Amino acid sequence: MSANVAAHDDHHDHGPEKGIVRWIVTTNHKDIGTLYLAFALVMFFVGGTMALIIRSELFEPGMQFVDPQFFNSMTTMHALVMVFGAVMPAFVGLANWQIPMMIGAPDMALPRMNNMSFWMLVAGVLLLASTLFMEGGAPAGGWTLYPPLVLQTGDALPFAIFSVHLLGISSIMGAINVIATIFNMRAPGMTLMKMPLFVWTWLITAFLLIAIMPVFAGAVTMLLTDRFFDTSFFDAAGGGDPVLYQHIFWFFGHPEVYVMILPTFGVASTIIPVFARKPLFGYASMVYATAAIAFLSFIVWAHHMFTVGMPVAGELYFMYATMLIAVPTGVKIFNWTATMWKGAMTFETPMLFSIAFVVLFTMGGFTGLMMAVAPVDFQYHDTYFIVAHFHYTLVPASIFILMAAGYFWLPKWTGNMYNERIGKLHFWLSAISVNILFFPQHFLGLAGMPRRIPDYAVQFADWNMISSIGAFIYGFSQLLFVYIVIDTIRGGTGEKVTDEVWEDAKKHSLEWTLPSPPPYHSFTTPPEKIPTEHF
Amino acid sequence: MSTSDAYYIPHKAVWPVIGTLGLMVTLAGFANYLNGSSIGPAMMIAGLTLFIVMLAGWFTLQAGESESGMYNHGVGISYRMGMMWFIFSEIMFFAVFFGTLWYTRNLSVEWLAGFGDGPGRATNDLLWSGFEGGWPTNGPGEVGGEYEPMGAFGLPLLNTIILLSSGVTCEWAHHGLLKKNRQQLIKGLIATVSLGFLFVLCQAYEYHEAYTEMGLTLGSGIYGSTFFMLTGFHGFHVCVGAIILSVVLFRSWKGHFTPENHFAFEGAAWYWHFVDVVWLGLFIFVYLM
């Protein structure tokens, strides 16, 4: 690997362009990472506002604030914005900031394409957001865009479809960049099995993305032609099948949810050892478990469709295959717990979020296991139980870990320390309110309350009210995070952090050997020593 | 020409934003057009123009940098990985439509016709009793009316030969490049590009026949849908591949490329072979079977 000494076409100095132009034309992995993270944070609040509209409407039975069509637009857009606008871009932002620093590279392998994948994301989200103001309203058939319902969408349909295409192009370019960077830009001595787990999980995630985004693009393209060009892909009269769309969608959709959780695992595996002051337990098994989960994600998709009418053999196969996922996931939970076992633990904000992730994600995982059982799923399908399940795997898992990553790396990125008191306050408010928000939804689902419905029977009133109260506490607590981010960038507590920020972090990963904040181009010469603490 | 020994990291990039804007305007225009808005076509033309300007500008920039020796071995590896995984994503895109063909042909049409124990029989009894399935089909509703399915021999077989030959001429050109035989390189590329466009012409003729003589259209039920979607996307990829190869031909004529440094040629050739293999799948599963 001779590829590690950087050359630049700068006739001026190594620094960035001035003003706003810097952010538009930048090819720098840190700048682009910052763009991604800032964009994701904004989208987190856009999607969050939609969630609060939903929870306001559901505060009481009966119709309160919005009409049913708009309510359904909100559930649809909330999902699309959070998945494609917030969680995925946030992890791409982390990848941009961290991967070059963690593997000892000067930058990402394909910097110009890196810039393009960010702007493609913005273009895609702009098209999607524009549908809110169109004749017939934004898409309201659910984020899965199932035909034939979604084909009744008004003017928004082609915009939503092209938005998916742009988001897909963005993700594929980002993923290709991650793969090329990890395979081609590692410092000498940084063998694959010495890479921090965050890098490993992103490598595997990138393969998932390249394999699934074209599949989603193909599916929505068929929606487009069914609506506008007379094709019969999803129309039984012409010999097609609406269920076919569901198969294709979930062939994309199931790996897609792992795209949001695998990097989460990676960050947790990076943070927990630092605050347990121990090497990560079972490094190799973590790598293999991640790969196993990724592989399994491709062969379990129809567990989203147990009630749709499949041959019994299909139901059985997808049931057992799905349950298999619990094995590698269990390995991971075990390893995180074993990492903490007898560790000299301290509980700074990133560690608090990470521990909450381990506990609450386990719960989300168990409800997933419940629904893997096909006959049982007939009861839970499309109720609030599934809503509770996947929100437990996304909010106190992916979102919590994104927050943890923010607290963990902001001092490195800015050179300033965040306010630990407000950080802890943010954590406790989030951890408590997220359970007030989502735990009652399990009960609602088990009692039979359907999802994506703006009104409900009176027996569901109490738990809905509690859930909505939790939602508002959770939503507004997140403003603390915005305050902390801005405050830390502007100087934070005033305390200048050391290079490694956290005690002995240097032993775990390369980014802590760089100054805080790190130089504009991370490793212009390869690092001399590769940390090996995780063995 | 010297090759830098450092990994080249460009300092700023203006083309990505321009290209993104072009693509977004094109797609927004197309969406407007589909919704019946009169502003659509103008937006599409503006967006496509911007996109083409971006392609020309960006590739000129890259070619210039490559020729001035700014890319070391490591940069070449990154580009090759990029191309490889891009082609993999294309394979997945085509897999969707091949999968659709397989699923409808072997499962859903059979179920509509009442085969199988589970959902099939009920669907047939309740909705489409009398429908017997089989392939090709435009479904129990006979969507699109009478049509004649496309045969395999004749033009499609000729097209298979044309495209496979172009794969051979492409490799012949590559050997010319490796042996520093400029004549062979340029002749091979001219043959490849010509065969590529000839293929597209034949395909256009076939489509014309289908629409005017055979009653076979995109609206001819699931058979018409899968036929035109698969061959149409493939034809589009042949066009793109032929344009890429034209650019490579132009650069070869300008004296770019050495046996050691010719990523653009390699990438284009990989893409061309990929398009070739997809066609083989199409010929077997869409035309022959």
Side-chain angles (χ1 to χ4, degrees):
Chain A
M1 254 164 287
S2 62
N4 297 89
V5 186
H8 314 281
D9 67 344
D10 39 3
H11 309 294
H12 22 249
D13 208 0
H14 274 224
E17 297 278 315
K18 294 283 172 278
I20 186 100
V21 181
R22 164 181 176 181
W23 300 101
I24 296 172
V25 302
T26 184
T27 54
N28 178 272
H29 75 102
K30 298 191 185 74
D31 284 355
I32 295 174
T34 305
L35 285 171
Y36 264 110
L37 289 169
F39 183 80
L41 192 59
V42 172
M43 284 301 129
F44 178 59
F45 282 93
V46 172
T49 307
M50 293 173 177
L52 290 187
I53 292 173
I54 295 168
R55 282 319 316 172
S56 301
E57 180 57 50
L58 293 174
F59 186 69
E60 284 180 334
M63 301 305 298
Q64 262 71 241
F65 304 107
V66 294
D67 66 88
Q69 170 78 20
F70 185 72
F71 180 89
N72 285 342
S73 284
M74 284 295 101
T75 57
T76 305
M77 295 292 279
H78 163 70
L80 290 170
V81 166
M82 285 302 199
V83 171
F84 295 105
V87 177
M88 286 170 67
F91 279 117
V92 181
L94 287 183
N96 258 300
W97 259 99
Q98 289 305 126
I99 289 176
M101 292 205 286
M102 285 178 146
I103 61 175
D107 206 303
M108 296 291 276
L110 302 160
R112 287 185 181 124
M113 196 168 77
N114 203 7
N115 175 299
M116 196 171 198
S117 58
F118 172 73
W119 290 109
M120 283 281 183
L121 164 74
V122 176
V125 171
L126 278 179
L127 281 193
L128 187 67
S130 71
T131 64
L132 280 165
F133 309 101
M134 280 174 193
E135 183 98 22
W143 81 287
T144 53
L145 307 173
Y146 278 1
L149 184 60
V150 77
L151 297 176
Q152 298 170 17
T153 307
D155 284 356
L157 185 68
F159 288 91
I161 287 170
F162 294 141
S163 152
V164 167
H165 287 141
L166 289 176
L167 295 170
I169 295 170
S170 162
S171 292
I172 290 168
M173 289 197 300
I176 286 174
N177 214 343
V178 166
I179 291 174
T181 305
I182 295 175
F183 279 146
N184 198 28
M185 306 286 281
R186 287 187 326 264
M190 176 61 81
T191 58
L192 285 174
M193 288 309 267
K194 281 185 185 162
M195 297 194 307
L197 255 207
F198 177 71
V199 181
W200 253 115
T201 52
W202 241 112
L203 179 64
I204 292 167
T205 304
F207 285 117
L208 289 187
L209 278 172
I210 296 181
I212 62 171
M213 292 315 291
V215 174
F216 193 23
V220 296
T221 304
M222 288 191 274
L223 288 180
L224 188 81
T225 58
D226 264 18
R227 164 83 173 259
F228 294 104
F229 299 100
D230 301 330
T231 56
S232 306
F233 290 111
F234 310 127
D235 175 13
D241 187 356
V243 177
L244 169 63
Y245 177 86
Q246 302 187 17
H247 281 294
I248 301 173
F249 179 86
W250 286 113
F251 184 84
F252 147 79
H254 198 76
E256 166 66 24
V257 300
Y258 290 9
V259 164
M260 294 185 281
I261 204 68
L262 295 184
T264 308
F265 293 165
V267 177
S269 306
T270 309
I271 293 177
I272 291 174
V274 171
F275 294 97
R277 289 165 182 78
K278 275 177 62 192
L280 181 68
F281 184 90
Y283 171 86
S285 71
M286 283 298 214
V287 172
Y288 298 133
T290 310
I293 294 172
F295 168 74
L296 288 171
S297 75
F298 281 104
I299 58 167
V300 297
W301 74 87
H303 65 219
H304 296 269
M305 306 159 52
F306 280 144
T307 61
V308 87
M310 262 192 299
V312 176
E315 304 258 340
L316 287 172
Y317 161 73
F318 284 108
M319 173 168 93
Y320 290 126
T322 302
M323 288 184 199
L324 277 182
I325 301 172
V327 178
T329 315
V331 168
K332 285 182 164 294
I333 305 277
F334 178 85
N335 285 349
W336 289 319
T337 316
T339 305
M340 288 186 271
W341 179 257
K342 290 190 173 173
M345 294 212 286
T346 51
F347 300 94
E348 288 85 348
T349 311
M351 184 60 163
L352 288 174
F353 271 108
S354 300
I355 294 172
F357 152 75
V358 175
V359 175
L360 297 175
F361 176 75
T362 305
M363 235 158 64
F366 273 132
T367 52
L369 202 51
M370 288 167 74
M371 280 176 299
V373 183
V376 179
D377 179 75
F378 276 54
Q379 170 79 8
Y380 307 150
H381 188 93
D382 260 351
T383 68
Y384 260 82
F385 194 79
I386 183 74
V387 177
H389 157 70
F390 67 69
H391 278 98
Y392 262 92
T393 62
L394 282 171
V395 185
S398 296
I399 299 287
F400 269 30
I401 281 296
L402 283 167
M403 299 294 171
Y407 287 106
F408 188 56
W409 281 310
L410 256 183
K412 171 93 264 172
W413 297 340
T414 61
N416 305 320
M417 197 60 196
Y418 65 86
N419 186 322
E420 185 70 48
R421 274 166 63 95
I422 305 181
K424 286 210 166 82
L425 178 68
H426 173 220
F427 167 74
W428 285 110
L429 279 171
S430 300
I432 294 168
S433 62
V434 86
N435 284 294
I436 303 175
L437 163 55
F438 292 118
F439 207 79
Q441 296 183 0
H442 291 116
F443 308 142
L444 289 168
L446 290 175
M449 178 171 161
R451 66 192 285 213
R452 293 171 174 159
I453 302 281
D455 191 5
Y456 49 85
V458 284
Q459 72 262 31
F460 304 129
D462 292 350
W463 288 125
N464 266 304
M465 192 174 281
I466 291 169
S467 175
S468 291
I469 291 168
F472 276 86
I473 302 174
Y474 180 79
F476 283 93
S477 318
Q478 303 317 305
L479 293 171
L480 288 174
F481 184 69
V482 179
Y483 168 77
I484 287 172
V485 170
I486 294 170
D487 180 57
T488 310
I489 291 170
R490 299 177 61 169
T493 55
E495 175 199 343
K496 288 290 162 199
V497 294
T498 58
D499 288 0
E500 62 176 3
V501 183
W502 312 105
E503 192 187 349
D504 284 343
K506 267 180 192 163
K507 287 187 191 168
H508 293 271
S509 179
L510 273 176
E511 76 267 32
W512 309 108
T513 62
L514 289 168
S516 308
Y520 195 55
H521 295 284
S522 298
F523 285 93
T524 39
T525 49
E528 279 162 19
K529 195 164 159 286
I530 306 298
T532 49
E533 175 71 358
H534 37 257
F535 296 100
Chain B
M1 188 173 101
S2 68
T3 301
S4 164
D5 52 0
Y7 195 97
Y8 171 67
I9 289 166
H11 198 68
K12 61 176 180 179
V14 288
W15 295 114
V17 175
I18 295 173
T20 305
L21 191 66
L23 199 56
M24 186 176 84
V25 172
T26 309
L27 290 176
F30 190 30
N32 270 309
Y33 165 76
L34 291 173
N35 286 335
S37 156
S38 56
I39 197 178
M43 282 176 77
M44 286 170 73
I45 290 168
L48 271 178
T49 310
L50 206 55
F51 191 74
I52 289 167
V53 168
M54 176 279 286
L55 286 179
W58 197 339
F59 281 115
T60 308
L61 174 70
Q62 295 278 132
E65 287 179 351
S66 172
E67 286 309 298
S68 62
M70 287 158 88
Y71 298 162
N72 69 356
H73 182 65
V75 175
I77 291 178
S78 289
Y79 287 162
R80 280 169 182 77
M81 283 184 182
M83 193 66 198
M84 213 165 77
W85 291 107
F86 166 65
I87 289 175
F88 176 70
S89 78
E90 291 268 47
I91 291 172
M92 292 308 292
F93 183 74
F94 275 97
V96 177
F97 298 103
F98 277 106
T100 298
L101 178 65
W102 177 83
Y103 179 92
T104 50
R105 187 172 172 164
N106 293 305
L107 297 176
S108 65
V109 168
E110 300 275 286
W111 290 335
L112 280 173
F115 293 102
D117 296 328
R121 195 166 300 161
T123 311
N124 186 258
D125 285 349
L126 293 168
L127 290 175
W128 307 109
S129 61
F131 177 60
E132 289 178 356
W135 193 267
T137 179
N138 55 356
E142 296 183 355
V143 171
E146 289 273 313
Y147 68 96
E148 195 186 321
M150 188 61 73
F153 302 102
L155 206 50
L157 181 64
L158 184 65
N159 253 350
T160 309
I161 295 165
I162 290 173
L163 211 52
L164 290 184
S165 317
S166 78
V168 176
T169 55
C170 184
E171 275 311 292
W172 189 64
H174 194 195
H175 280 281
L177 173 54
L178 293 178
K179 288 185 303 190
K180 294 193 178 177
N181 185 339
R182 204 172 124 83
Q183 281 297 317
Q184 185 179 332
L185 166 65
I186 289 176
K187 277 183 193 159
L189 277 175
I190 290 175
T192 312
V193 173
S194 315
L195 287 168
F197 283 118
L198 181 63
F199 172 93
V200 176
L201 278 179
C202 290
Q203 189 83 3
Y205 180 76
E206 184 189 85
Y207 276 17
H208 182 73
E209 288 278 288
Y211 265 77
T212 54
E213 312 278 323
M214 301 161 72
L216 178 61
T217 71
L218 200 52
S220 299
I222 191 64
Y223 175 69
S225 305
T226 48
F227 175 81
F228 283 105
M229 204 71 150
L230 274 162
T231 56
F233 269 120
H234 175 263
F236 173 71
H237 280 78
V238 176
C239 288
V240 172
I243 292 170
I244 297 173
L245 282 169
S246 308
V247 174
V248 169
L249 170 61
F250 176 73
R251 287 187 61 189
S252 307
W253 175 70
K254 291 269 279 184
H256 293 188
F257 306 136
T258 61
E260 297 79 33
N261 179 22
H262 54 273
F263 162 71
F265 184 101
E266 261 180 273
W270 290 351
Y271 193 79
W272 196 248
H273 291 317
F274 149 73
V275 170
D276 240 6
V277 172
V278 171
W279 175 260
L280 269 185
L282 283 180
F283 186 65
I284 293 167
F285 293 109
V286 176
Y287 290 95
L288 270 182
M289 285 174 72

